[in-house]
Amino acid sequence: QAEDGIRDVERSRGLGDVYKRQLLTLGPGETRIALLFLSAPTAVVSYVMADQLDGDTELSATIVVVSCLLSVLSLSLVVGLF
């Protein structure tokens, strides 16, 4: 306790600290669902949005293809761990 009667508050170490505290409060089921969502590939609708909004469609298509290929590994890993 500080001299002025106000307790010293534990300082946060940044945004990562906040996310760690939130993840620690999740139950096992919620953690599995969050990991599945995080390991899933990018939605193909992002290419459609890039096309409609005159964005970089080539980059969007590349990201969708690469994320689909990598999701085979990430989803296998997540399902294998849980």
Side-chain angles (χ1 to χ4, degrees):
Q1 193 164 346
E3 291 179 13
D4 59 2
I6 299 174
R7 284 190 210 168
D8 291 327
V9 178
E10 183 180 335
R11 292 185 157 275
S12 175
R13 292 181 298 264
L15 195 56
D17 193 37
V18 173
Y19 288 134
K20 283 182 211 169
R21 278 189 251 143
Q22 288 176 350
L23 283 175
L24 292 176
T25 60
L26 291 178
E30 291 90 356
T31 303
R32 288 183 187 130
I33 292 170
L35 286 173
L36 281 173
F37 278 128
L38 290 172
S39 61
T42 304
V44 177
V45 75
S46 62
Y47 174 81
V48 176
M49 286 178 54
D51 187 40
Q52 289 180 351
L53 299 173
D54 296 324
D56 192 348
T57 54
E58 187 175 325
L59 176 64
S60 179
T62 302
I63 290 172
V64 169
V65 169
V66 170
S67 71
C68 285
L69 293 173
L70 291 176
S71 72
V72 172
L73 297 173
S74 62
L75 283 170
S76 300
L77 182 65
V78 168
V79 171
L81 289 175
F82 293 101

